[in-house]
Amino acid sequence: MQRTTPPFRADVVGSFLRPAAIKEARKQFQAGEIDAAQLRAVEDTEIRRVVDLQREAGLQVVTDGEFRRAWWHFDFFEGLEGVEGYDAVQGIQFNGVQTKARSIKVVSKLGFGSHPMLEDFRFLKSISGTAVPKMTIPSPSVMHFRGGRNAISKDVYPDLKDYFDDLAQVYRDAIKAFYDAGCRYLQLDDTVWAYLCSEDQKKQIRERGDSPEALARTYADVLNKAIAGKPDDLVIGLHVCRGNFRSTWISEGGYEPVAEILFGGVNIDAFFLEYDNERSGGFEPLRFIKKGHQQAVLGLITTKSGELELAKTVEARIAEAAEYLDINQICLSPQCGFASTEEGNSLTEAQQWEKLKRVVDIAARVW
């Protein structure tokens, strides 16, 4: 019942708390005290360290901790052709706190181009040793959802169908480029599907003139077009997140409103699903996951606080989930990254590693 290919019984979402050396180097870079090469050298050193720590924790998979990024999504989007980042009027509103004021807009035809994160992945692969290096990028639906029609040039894309067709092609090109760089494990991070489960978020969607149901169909179609024809030895996961900024969140609600179209209709290899508190709902929606191939990686270990979960409690929840999905199609991970933005969540590095070791220990017992 152990797995030798991704996702692994003990897996990880992606980001880690930024170490002090990274934070200091970024400050120095922004102040003009060091150049880009010097900043990258610091990042290289800290990425080597975080890869070693993941392997020491017992993981079969490693990421670069997203140490070269300020955001889990904007850094990737701003590297695409046709996308421009800018300082927004206000940040994204989380539960009681706002992010820095940053956003993106589409100003010309979309393209993947020579994306800088390809080199980031090549570096990770070169130091991963016997572990499988995983690349994490935002999902295509995230590109559209936050700004919607207003963030897409009407001169460039008068018809949104052309925009979504190009968006799917960008991701097909991205998938091929990462594959050619040696990537065999790619994760798409997505907050939008969780928003489509939230009554409050759906109300806001309708108020801006969109239909939550229509968006779900569009996003599922774009995802399937993006991954169509992918190589058989490339595993692609989709991480569904309810928001993760300084240990706060945006949306709440179980997966039932989107379960049939998402789990039953999107041809992804693995779903990384938050299940760390009551905002995530029950396990009943797992019944829509296709039998056999697809995996559900349950995020039963929270990254939003340092309190360590009891192993017996997590094991009981896995058993509960197995009432709706074969336990051979279930894996375990933290609920999200530990630092979706460079600010990071409210826990210590020591607590972060204890949580990962708890994931590994529980997975070893259960499977």
Side-chain angles (χ1 to χ4, degrees):
M1 296 174 76
Q2 287 294 324
R3 290 179 60 83
T4 57
T5 58
F8 298 103
R9 295 301 180 204
D11 217 297
V12 65
V13 170
S15 63
F16 290 98
L17 295 171
R18 308 301 194 264
I22 291 269
K23 293 181 178 180
E24 180 60 28
R26 284 198 171 277
K27 285 180 186 175
Q28 291 176 327
F29 177 70
Q30 288 162 2
E33 297 169 7
I34 62 173
D35 62 20
Q38 290 170 303
L39 171 61
R40 195 167 184 89
V42 174
E43 291 168 348
D44 286 353
T45 297
E46 294 303 319
I47 290 169
R48 285 191 179 93
R49 175 176 164 271
V50 82
V51 164
D52 287 345
L53 288 170
Q54 287 170 83
R55 294 175 64 189
E56 287 172 16
L59 290 168
Q60 296 169 272
V61 55
V62 293
T63 77
D64 65 3
E66 300 180 6
F67 280 4
R68 303 194 199 275
R69 307 185 208 180
W71 306 81
W72 64 277
H73 52 350
F74 290 147
D75 297 70
F76 176 81
F77 290 143
E78 289 183 39
L80 298 175
E81 294 175 350
V83 179
E84 187 176 282
Y86 68 97
D87 291 330
V89 175
Q90 66 179 44
I92 299 168
Q93 184 62 53
F94 279 71
N95 186 40
V97 65
Q98 269 192 18
T99 66
K100 290 178 292 190
R102 190 71 180 169
S103 195
I104 54 165
K105 55 187 174 182
V106 176
V107 296
S108 60
K109 281 282 188 180
L110 293 175
F112 183 68
S114 301
H115 202 287
M117 287 191 183
L118 289 170
E119 190 54 42
D120 296 346
F121 175 77
R122 291 188 189 100
F123 177 78
L124 172 64
K125 187 175 187 301
S126 74
I127 62 170
S128 58
T130 57
V132 174
K134 173 159 71 168
M135 185 66 193
T136 60
I137 62 175
S139 174
S141 55
V142 178
M143 254 282 280
H144 169 263
F145 180 80
R146 182 62 58 187
R149 168 78 267 190
N150 292 336
I152 303 164
S153 169
K154 292 179 181 176
D155 292 330
V156 178
Y157 289 110
D159 186 342
L160 277 182
K161 181 184 181 303
D162 295 331
Y163 164 81
F164 284 118
D165 285 345
D166 283 0
L167 184 60
Q169 185 61 53
V170 164
Y171 272 79
R172 277 196 294 273
D173 293 343
I175 288 167
K176 183 180 186 306
F178 281 113
Y179 184 86
D180 290 347
C183 180
R184 298 297 180 268
Y185 193 9
L186 181 68
Q187 179 177 294
L188 306 177
D189 292 317
D190 199 317
T191 53
V192 178
W193 288 101
Y195 297 161
L196 296 175
C197 297
S198 162
E199 290 305 317
D200 179 62
Q201 289 291 317
K202 286 194 286 187
K203 179 174 178 287
Q204 293 181 41
I205 291 167
R206 293 187 186 102
E207 286 173 351
R208 77 181 195 190
D210 284 324
S211 160
E213 295 74 23
L215 285 181
R217 290 192 295 272
T218 297
Y219 294 152
D221 182 60
V222 170
L223 275 168
N224 280 335
K225 285 179 178 176
I227 64 179
K230 76 169 182 68
D232 290 340
D233 61 340
L234 171 63
V235 173
I236 300 183
L238 183 74
H239 170 229
V240 180
C241 175
R242 290 171 176 76
N244 187 40
F245 175 68
R246 289 182 169 173
S247 293
T248 61
W249 47 274
I250 291 179
S251 62
E252 54 187 317
Y255 299 100
E256 194 68 32
V258 300
E260 189 165 7
I261 189 170
L262 177 60
F263 300 152
V266 175
N267 302 318
I268 215 80
D269 296 309
F271 294 100
F272 283 74
L273 303 172
E274 291 191 327
Y275 268 115
D276 61 323
N277 57 38
E278 66 281 354
R279 288 188 294 107
S280 305
F283 294 116
E284 293 84 355
L286 298 179
R287 71 190 185 277
F288 287 107
I289 290 179
K290 301 181 191 73
K291 290 188 168 43
H293 170 67
Q294 286 181 314
Q295 297 283 311
V297 187
L298 304 183
L300 295 169
I301 305 289
T302 193
T303 66
K304 287 181 164 59
S305 76
E307 183 179 355
L308 193 61
E309 288 80 356
L310 293 174
K312 65 179 181 180
T313 302
V314 176
E315 289 169 21
R317 296 204 69 200
I318 292 171
E320 185 183 342
E323 295 176 18
Y324 302 96
L325 183 66
D326 189 326
I327 197 165
N328 287 305
Q329 288 181 254
I330 296 174
C331 301
L332 179 66
S333 76
Q335 139 265 339
C336 193
F338 291 93
S340 297
T341 68
E342 60 187 340
E343 288 85 358
N345 283 351
S346 301
L347 73 168
T348 66
E349 286 191 52
Q351 289 170 327
Q352 168 182 266
W353 296 112
E354 282 300 311
K355 283 183 174 268
L356 277 182
K357 288 172 185 173
R358 180 59 48 95
V359 169
V360 171
D361 291 345
I362 292 171
R365 277 200 299 275
V366 171
W367 287 282

